[in-house]
């Protein structure tokens, strides 16, 4: 009999949360009375997360784990889980108990109604700063503007999807993974389910603002060329403006006999142009660094220890 559900959760320095996560998830999965596996991915934790995971795996036959040599990031941890999962349905959720395991049966039943993906949409997000919420909101609105498909607002990676979606996801050769965008890009039938996101149980977030910024750029560069076009459009606009200005200066000098003086206007022009140029170079740089990643074509992550069959990885 094949496995019906694989629950995949990444852990980065979550020694205080792993145990409760497994207890609550195992309880709810057992109550569903179907074959399941719990795939715990240790993303190079520096604390005792792996130790706790190994202990749990030794006593529960449904628990499988993958442990990275170092911290490769949340998206790759999820991707490693997807690659190793054997279930007909896959669930992605955070390991810090912000995504309640008790929602799993509801997600599963909703999927049975004929959807390929059911994602959990955040009604409220407790314990997160106003700045994080506003920047996240703004980011998704911008992303939806500049891509041709829509990525659901107020959702993370907490979702269930079927085997077909998982197989297609694994065919996507993107080096910078942005799973929620990739899934939207695939275009399968999606449905949303609302929930109240809880506070992180213990520990602190593994996402600094610089990591979030990088993640946001992965999303944008992975799915849109708009920033590159912005660079060329702003080049055209500035060139046109400067052309008009040149004519104005020439007319003023030779026909009207006035010379335009002014340190202020010079500074403004130089700074404005410098700003646009640096911004454009930065934008190009973001794309080039991802091309560079792709050209190097390294393995996405390195597994140090696992009790899944190594052949099922990557
Ligand atoms: N996580 C991970 N690798 C990282 C950062 C985070 O595997 O480099 C895990 C983390 O343990 C948690 C989930 O990803 O289970 C979500 O991370 P976090 O709670 O830090 O993000 P937030 O909820 O603040 O967006
Ligand atoms: Mg969290």
């Amino acid at each position: 009999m094949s496995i019906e559900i694989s629950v995949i959760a990444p852990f980065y320095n979550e020694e205080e949360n792993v145990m409760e996560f497994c207890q609550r998830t195992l309880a709810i999965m057992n109550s569903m009375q179907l074959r399941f596996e719990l795939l715990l991915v240790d993303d190079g934790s520096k604390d005792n997360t792996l130790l706790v995971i190994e202990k749990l795996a030794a006593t529960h036959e449904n628990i499988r784990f993958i442990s990275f040599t170092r911290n490769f990031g949340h998206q790759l941890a999820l991707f490693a889980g997807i690659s190793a999962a054997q279930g007909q349905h896959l669930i992605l959720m955070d390991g810090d108990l912000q995504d309640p395991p008790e929602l799993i049966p509801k997600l599963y039943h909703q999927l049975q109604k004929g959807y390929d993906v059911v994602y959990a949409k955040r009604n409220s997000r407790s314990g997160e700063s106003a700045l994080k919420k506003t920047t996240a909101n703004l980011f998704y609105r911008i992303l939806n503007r500049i891509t041709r498909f829509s990525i659901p607002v107020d959702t993370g990676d907490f979702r269930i999807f079927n085997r077909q979606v998982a197989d297609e996801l694994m065919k996507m050769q993107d080096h910078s993974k942005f799973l929620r965008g990739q899934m939207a890009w695939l275009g399968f039938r999606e449905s949303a389910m609302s929930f109240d996101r809880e506070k992180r149980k213990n520990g602190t977030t593994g996402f600094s603002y610089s990591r979030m910024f990088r993640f946001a750029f992965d999303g944008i560069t992975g799915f849109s060329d708009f920033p590159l076009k912005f660079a060329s459009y702003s080049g055209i606009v500035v060139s046109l403006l400067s052309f008009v200005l040149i004519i104005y200066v020439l007319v003023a000098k030779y026909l009207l006999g006035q010379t335009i003086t002014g340190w202020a206007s010079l500074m403004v022009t130089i700074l404005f142009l410098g700003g646009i140029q640096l911004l454009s170079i930065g934008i190009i740089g973001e794309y080039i660094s991802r091309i560079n990643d792709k050209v190097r074509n390294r393995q996405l992550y390195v597994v140090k220890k696992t009790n899944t069959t190594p052949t099922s990885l990557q």
Side-chain angles (χ1 to χ4, degrees):
M1 206 171 72
S2 67
I3 292 176
E4 182 63 11
I5 298 184
S6 301
V7 180
I8 299 161
F11 294 88
Y12 178 56
N13 297 342
E14 304 278 9
E15 61 182 1
E16 294 159 304
N17 292 325
V18 185
M19 187 67 95
E20 183 179 341
F21 174 85
C22 289
Q23 282 167 350
R24 275 170 62 182
T25 313
L26 284 172
I28 202 85
M29 293 311 293
N30 281 324
S31 74
M32 289 174 79
Q33 298 192 325
L34 35 79
R35 276 201 73 191
F36 70 93
E37 63 177 358
L38 218 61
L39 250 166
L40 313 177
V41 186
D42 164 43
D43 185 11
S45 299
K46 295 184 184 75
D47 62 1
N48 289 321
T49 304
L50 178 61
L51 221 77
V52 185
I53 288 180
E54 282 185 299
K55 266 192 202 147
L56 284 161
T59 46
H60 294 89
E61 54 165 0
N62 289 335
I63 296 186
R64 304 201 301 142
F65 72 92
I66 297 167
S67 173
F68 289 170
T69 48
R70 64 167 175 84
N71 181 241
F72 280 88
H74 169 251
Q75 293 289 300
L76 288 177
L78 288 176
F79 188 72
I82 296 173
S83 311
Q86 294 172 345
Q88 290 309 307
H89 301 91
L90 288 77
I91 291 174
L92 304 182
M93 59 194 300
D94 285 355
D96 58 359
L97 293 163
Q98 282 197 282
D99 302 331
E102 290 71 25
L103 210 68
I104 292 176
K106 274 171 114 183
L107 287 171
Y108 179 66
H109 289 131
Q110 176 87 356
L111 194 81
Q112 304 292 321
K113 292 184 186 155
Y115 296 103
D116 300 299
V117 182
V118 178
Y119 53 83
K121 195 170 161 65
R122 299 159 183 175
N123 265 337
S124 63
R125 303 168 75 163
S126 32
E128 283 175 8
S129 70
L131 186 61
K132 180 161 180 169
K133 285 185 231 178
T134 336
T135 44
N137 214 314
L138 191 70
F139 165 66
Y140 284 107
R141 290 193 203 287
I142 293 175
L143 195 59
N144 280 336
R145 270 265 154 113
I146 62 179
T147 50
R148 253 171 285 152
F149 52 91
S150 84
I151 297 172
V153 183
D154 288 333
T155 56
D157 290 310
F158 186 21
R159 56 188 61 211
I160 185 169
F161 49 94
N162 61 25
R163 171 62 30 205
Q164 192 188 5
V165 177
D167 289 343
E168 292 299 331
L169 263 184
M170 280 186 290
K171 282 189 211 158
M172 295 177 87
Q173 304 277 319
D174 301 45
H175 251 241
S176 321
K177 300 286 177 201
F178 187 73
L179 293 169
R180 56 197 82 160
Q182 288 176 248
M183 252 181 253
W185 181 90
L186 286 172
F188 285 104
R189 266 197 78 175
E190 296 190 336
S191 155
M193 173 169 283
S194 316
F195 80 111
D196 295 311
R197 192 156 207 244
E198 288 170 26
K199 268 200 192 115
R200 166 178 262 286
K201 261 275 145 93
N202 299 293
T204 50
T205 172
F207 278 92
S208 55
Y209 274 98
S210 72
R211 275 187 101 154
M212 268 169 46
F213 199 67
R214 180 158 184 90
F215 183 55
F217 259 101
D218 280 341
I220 293 172
T221 53
F223 295 97
S224 170
D225 286 336
F226 177 79
L228 286 174
K229 290 191 186 126
F230 166 79
S232 43
Y233 291 155
S234 57
I236 294 171
V237 171
V238 171
S239 306
L240 285 177
L241 275 179
S242 62
F243 190 70
V244 173
L245 207 66
I246 288 168
I247 294 185
Y248 168 69
V249 169
L250 288 177
V251 168
K253 181 161 170 65
Y254 294 108
L255 297 185
L256 307 176
Q258 310 165 345
T259 36
I260 301 157
T261 56
W263 179 87
S265 54
L266 258 182
M267 277 317 275
V268 168
T269 316
I270 291 173
L271 290 179
F272 176 69
L273 275 182
I276 294 231
Q277 281 170 349
L278 287 180
L279 187 69
S280 305
I281 293 174
I283 290 173
I284 297 170
E286 290 292 336
Y287 282 85
I288 290 184
S289 91
R290 284 160 182 86
I291 297 173
N292 208 13
D293 269 350
K294 189 68 203 160
V295 171
R296 285 197 204 108
N297 213 15
R298 291 187 184 146
Q299 63 273 52
L300 295 174
Y301 49 84
V302 181
V303 176
K304 174 125 187 272
K305 220 170 184 187
T306 175
N307 66 351
T308 61
T309 44
T311 47
S312 64
L313 295 175
Q314 287 204 340

